[in-house]
Amino acid sequence: MSEPTSERVLLPVKILEGETIDEDLAKLLSSLDVLVLGYHVVPEQTAPSQMRQQFETQAQQALDAIVQEFEDAGGTADSRLAFTHDADQTIERIGEEVGATAVAYPNPVPPIESIFVPVREEETIDRLVEFIGELRAGRPISLRLSSAQKEEVEMAGQRLERTREKLIERGIEEESIDEIQVDSSTPAVSIIDGAIAADVTVMAEPERDWRTFLFGELEERVAAESLGPVLVVKLPQSETDEPDDQTFVDE
Amino acid sequence: MPAPDGGGSTEPEAPDVAIGGENIEGEPPVTDSPTEVTEEATKHDDVELERTLGLVGGLSIGIGTMIGAGIFVFPGLAAEAAGPAAAGSFAIGAVVALLVALPTSELATAMPRSGGGYYFISRAMGTLAGTVVGISLWFGLVFATAFYLVGFGFYAVDLLREIGLQVGTGLVIPLAVIFGAVFTVLNVTGTENAAKLQNSIVALLLGLLIVFLSFGVIDSLGLLGPTEAPEEFAPHGSFPILTTAALVFTSYLGFAQVATVAGEMQDPGRNLPLAMVGSVIIVGVLYVVTIFVATSFLTAAELERLAEQEMLETAMVEVGRELLGPIGAFAIVLGGLLATMSSANASILSSSRAIYATSRDALLPLWASRVNLKYGTPHVALALAGGPILVLTATGRVEILAEVASFLHLVMYGLICIALIIIRRNPPEWYDPAFVLPAGPIVAVFGAVLSFALIAFMQPLSQVLGLAFLIATSAWYFYYARGVSLKGVL
């Protein structure tokens, strides 16, 4: 009960494939409420309960080790363990059940000095600013903003400027926002390029459109290409039953 | 907790017998009662198992298992035995299957766990019935898979002939055995998502059949030209209708396979009944129409010619040729290959699930359900299914394989119906099916009687083999699993 945060990050880990969490990522996320989801994808020849019967203990040990990692880094983490035929479905379901506000794709991390932030849609600015504020928690981590959208340079520049102002309003030191980059190539290309060079990427959950069908989900492509972890911030459900102020019920 | 004592003169309810005991090797059944079953997952204290199969996936397993036999292998054999009245044989099969699918649906929604029929029977009737059914289900599916593989062999030979290679039927069994072996290995090592492929294959087959049958119905009603001289409806009398019904019942084995993956179905209360009953109705209608169309082309003389060539199994290819020329023949050959393949695939996977369910309950050694971490597949169970499948395929006895498969399934079907009656009489505390069958016990009585009755019309050799299996599995119970108790516990 030390620092209540409203940001709850879901961290899916392929638990039986030896995927682990870097100490630096644990440190980075220690300011947030983390839920480690250990999962294992079971082929259709096998009943998930059959896999579980044999490998639950092994999986649970690996998961406990990851939770311990977060505690060593000064944070806390809850955990869930799942056996599934379909990883996407499991990540989505558990994300909804626990009210996750962001999903992390845990790549190995270089020492984290800066965060790459593609800012595409105007509506996502507030959420991104909020999340980054909670994540940084006053630590000296610099931000690199990018417009990452095919559009006129002027519009992109204005949007990044607004983002910058809001970040400063949120209490982030002006000198930490060290680079503003107007990039007007195709969004996917520009985000992936930026993410490759970044220590960590924080991006808003992209909308699903026809490109998702053709190329797969953008955030997964970004995570696959980039060397560092990718944090995907979920947007509040627009004008649905969800209350505006984010209150999350834990247990 | 305290039971209300004001219940009148009813005797105090006997406490549920706990799952427990141990088999001859000292292994107890694995207990893992879930704490919660939601639409998308089965949750235990510290682990959850995702439910990923939707209604389409369920229907695809049911239909995909069934149409290989009913549409592509049986029409020629059935028409030769019973004439156009074979449509009645398939209709009888549909009625029996439906009368079993309905009680199965109720039980499956109350116990949406891996193992299907085996699970309900062991919980309602105890370990002896459970052992007999569990091992019979394993071997019933082994016989069924061998039957589909031989059907595949026939279509493979037909394909070679369509492309101009004059090969004899002697090649049927070698091709079937080779394919069966490749298939077993692929199931152990392959982690590609074959379920999506299966869905596409089933959709393709249904599309093909609907086009084909529409043409056939229009044609056989005489709208496109002069009608052929009508065949006599039941040239061999009415008794062959019943024996043929017993033979072709293999065409209806798939719906219960849906129940073997009940633990992986989303929203099981809704999807399990829809998938089981829906797949029986869909294939039942397709079968009857197919026989109607097929028998309007397969004259007695044509059937005799095919019988001489030992190609009755692929008689549908000739129907396709009559209807749409070489393209029609080729489409049916392709359809036959895909359909028998998907039937074999679904059945070998169900067989492995049956082995898992019985081994989890200590009726077979625990190692039988071991999974390897490299591929994540149950290699032991797949080998225990694949080995006997190859031996049986090598016999090449299509009708015997089909009937023994049906025999072993029909015993389970009858017992599922009895299980429903038993459970309805004295429902355990946990019994809360999402789908409650109206007039359940009455339907179940009919289902049980008809299931057992169908066995009486099989060939003597099939009956002897089936009975031998029941005796052998009972003996296994007394030797291996007498100390295990399973009754009454979810």
Side-chain angles (χ1 to χ4, degrees):
Chain A
M1 276 264 168
S2 50
E3 24 38 291
T5 170
S6 60
E7 300 294 352
R8 168 161 265 222
V9 180
L10 181 68
L11 180 65
V13 181
K14 293 183 191 122
I15 199 72
L16 286 175
E17 292 176 30
E19 204 169 71
T20 53
I21 294 306
D22 223 88
E23 200 188 325
D24 286 298
L25 180 61
K27 273 190 194 139
L28 175 73
L29 297 180
S30 63
S31 53
L32 307 179
D33 186 1
V34 175
L35 182 96
V36 184
L37 164 60
Y39 70 95
H40 185 69
V41 177
V42 182
E44 62 177 352
Q45 293 97 312
T46 315
S49 57
Q50 191 172 1
M51 199 78 195
R52 174 220 168 190
Q53 185 177 303
Q54 204 173 320
F55 292 104
E56 180 180 355
T57 314
Q58 191 178 336
Q60 192 64 53
Q61 281 168 358
L63 193 55
D64 290 346
I66 291 175
V67 169
Q68 186 61 45
E69 191 105 24
F70 275 95
E71 278 162 15
D72 292 348
T76 56
D78 288 333
S79 68
R80 300 268 289 258
L81 179 60
F83 291 90
T84 179
H85 291 303
D86 181 345
D88 289 345
Q89 181 185 317
T90 303
I91 292 170
E92 183 143 327
R93 174 178 66 80
I94 292 185
E96 268 169 31
E97 279 180 17
V98 302
T101 57
V103 177
Y105 291 82
N107 286 321
V109 256
I112 294 164
E113 284 156 8
S114 85
I115 302 176
F116 169 63
V117 188
V119 186
R120 297 174 62 201
E121 310 288 341
E122 189 74 34
E123 316 77 87
T124 65
I125 294 177
D126 287 347
R127 267 299 287 141
L128 281 172
V129 168
E130 177 64 28
F131 182 82
I132 290 164
E134 294 275 326
L135 175 66
R136 264 179 101 258
R139 289 176 289 182
I141 303 171
S142 67
L143 302 175
R144 187 155 58 83
L145 308 184
S146 161
S147 68
Q149 185 83 296
K150 214 171 194 169
E151 64 193 329
E152 293 199 7
V153 174
E154 201 175 321
M155 273 179 62
Q158 284 167 3
R159 191 169 66 250
L160 291 181
E161 190 50 41
R162 278 193 294 278
T163 311
R164 206 177 82 95
E165 281 162 13
K166 284 184 174 168
L167 283 167
I168 293 166
E169 228 169 87
R170 179 69 176 71
I172 287 164
E173 312 79 32
E174 207 172 335
E175 60 275 16
S176 287
I177 310 169
D178 55 23
E179 198 179 338
I180 289 191
Q181 175 190 15
V182 175
D183 185 334
S184 54
S185 52
T186 314
V189 174
S190 117
I191 296 176
I192 290 170
D193 282 352
I196 288 173
D199 301 339
V200 185
T201 301
V202 173
M203 63 188 281
E205 183 180 37
E207 272 179 31
R208 305 274 175 264
D209 59 13
W210 58 271
R211 289 181 204 89
T212 318
F213 283 102
L214 281 184
F215 305 114
E217 290 178 0
L218 179 61
E219 60 268 37
E220 284 178 11
R221 292 163 61 208
V222 174
E225 297 273 337
S226 74
L227 300 176
V230 176
L231 304 178
V232 180
V233 181
K234 289 181 183 261
L235 301 172
Q237 239 72 345
S238 54
E239 76 253 10
T240 48
D241 41 7
E242 293 248 328
D244 215 354
D245 61 324
Q246 292 146 340
T247 45
F248 298 103
V249 186
D250 291 3
E251 264 84 339
Chain B
M1 282 294 159
D5 274 331
S9 62
T10 51
E11 52 189 306
E13 208 166 300
D16 284 339
V17 188
I19 188 170
E22 53 186 43
N23 63 22
I24 195 169
E25 296 178 62
E27 293 169 347
V30 176
T31 44
D32 61 345
S33 297
T35 48
E36 191 191 357
V37 175
T38 69
E39 288 185 6
E40 286 189 299
T42 309
K43 296 184 181 176
H44 299 266
D45 284 335
D46 43 12
V47 60
E48 41 210 287
L49 308 170
E50 199 78 23
R51 295 178 171 270
T52 49
L53 265 175
L55 179 56
V56 172
L59 280 170
S60 163
I61 290 176
I63 297 173
T65 309
M66 292 192 272
I67 50 179
I71 304 267
F72 292 97
V73 182
F74 278 134
L77 296 168
E80 198 223 18
S89 308
F90 276 97
I92 291 171
V95 170
V96 177
L98 206 56
L99 287 174
V100 178
L102 289 165
T104 309
S105 295
E106 173 171 325
L107 291 168
T109 62
M111 296 171 249
R113 311 288 297 277
S114 278
Y118 156 73
Y119 198 86
F120 321 143
I121 290 165
S122 61
R123 284 354 184 227
M125 301 171 71
T127 311
L128 173 59
T131 310
V132 170
V133 166
I135 299 178
S136 295
L137 180 59
W138 160 20
F139 278 96
L141 288 160
V142 161
F143 274 90
T145 311
F147 161 74
Y148 300 131
L149 285 172
V150 176
F152 175 87
F154 275 103
Y155 274 92
V157 163
D158 227 327
L159 177 70
L160 294 176
R161 287 184 181 176
E162 290 297 323
I163 60 175
L165 294 169
Q166 281 311 315
V167 290
T169 45
L171 218 54
V172 167
I173 292 169
L175 285 174
V177 171
I178 291 169
F179 184 73
V182 169
F183 213 60
T184 308
V185 172
L186 279 182
N187 263 316
V188 173
T189 59
T191 51
E192 300 302 315
N193 194 345
K196 287 203 172 103
L197 187 65
Q198 165 103 346
N199 290 355
S200 320
I201 288 178
V202 170
L204 181 80
L205 286 171
L206 286 179
L208 179 83
L209 283 173
I210 286 166
V211 172
F212 179 77
L213 293 177
S214 310
F215 267 104
V217 169
I218 293 169
D219 199 324
S220 35
L221 290 177
L223 300 182
L224 294 182
T227 355
E228 283 109 288
E231 290 281 308
E232 199 184 335
F233 181 68
H236 312 295
S238 54
F239 189 69
I241 301 180
L242 294 173
T243 52
T244 305
L247 170 66
V248 301
F249 192 73
T250 320
S251 318
Y252 290 103
L253 301 188
F255 73 87
Q257 266 70 296
V258 179
T260 64
V261 291
E264 292 145 65
M265 286 284 264
Q266 292 170 345
D267 196 358
R270 167 181 173 269
N271 289 341
L272 277 170
L274 281 177
M276 284 196 268
V277 175
S279 58
V280 168
I281 291 175
I282 291 171
V283 299
V285 170
L286 284 174
Y287 292 164
V288 172
V289 178
T290 301
I291 294 300
F292 174 74
V293 169
T295 51
S296 73
F297 290 99
L298 296 171
T299 59
E302 172 77 1
L303 285 168
E304 205 172 305
R305 187 181 69 80
L306 288 170
E308 266 168 31
Q309 293 184 338
E310 296 176 4
M311 289 305 273
L312 272 174
E313 283 81 356
T314 55
M316 284 305 285
V317 177
E318 299 314 313
V319 178
R321 197 186 319 278
E322 295 269 350
L323 254 177
L324 299 167
I327 296 174
F330 197 70
I332 296 291
V333 169
L334 222 58
L337 287 170
L338 287 175
T340 47
M341 234 192 301
S342 89
S343 296
N345 184 37
S347 300
I348 196 173
L349 292 188
S350 296
S351 185
S352 147
R353 290 286 201 285
I355 293 171
Y356 160 55
T358 42
S359 128
R360 180 183 59 191
D361 284 344
L363 307 183
L364 292 174
L366 201 55
W367 52 256
S369 62
R370 276 197 80 78
V371 177
N372 64 78
L373 189 54
K374 182 170 181 201
Y375 301 111
T377 49
H379 52 292
V380 183
L382 286 167
L384 288 174
I389 285 172
L390 296 185
V391 173
L392 289 172
T393 307
T395 69
R397 299 286 298 271
V398 172
E399 301 198 357
I400 299 294
L401 293 175
E403 284 197 347
V404 177
S406 296
F407 183 111
L408 296 175
H409 275 81
L410 282 165
V411 168
M412 177 176 83
Y413 290 176
L415 290 177
I416 287 175
C417 292
I418 295 173
L420 180 91
I421 296 168
I422 291 175
I423 267 191
R424 280 278 193 105
R425 275 196 155 179
N426 189 8
E429 207 178 307
W430 47 261
Y431 190 71
D432 182 21
F435 168 78
V436 179
L437 177 61
I442 299 171
V443 174
V445 166
F446 278 103
V449 169
L450 290 178
S451 295
F452 294 138
L454 213 45
I455 291 175
F457 293 98
M458 291 179 176
Q459 297 178 22
L461 179 55
S462 310
Q463 292 169 334
V464 169
L465 285 172
L467 272 177
F469 257 97
L470 299 187
I471 293 167
T473 49
S474 306
W476 176 259
Y477 161 78
F478 284 109
Y479 162 68
Y480 190 83
R482 200 161 22 151
V484 177
S485 67
L486 301 170
K487 192 173 171 179
V489 179
L490 183 60

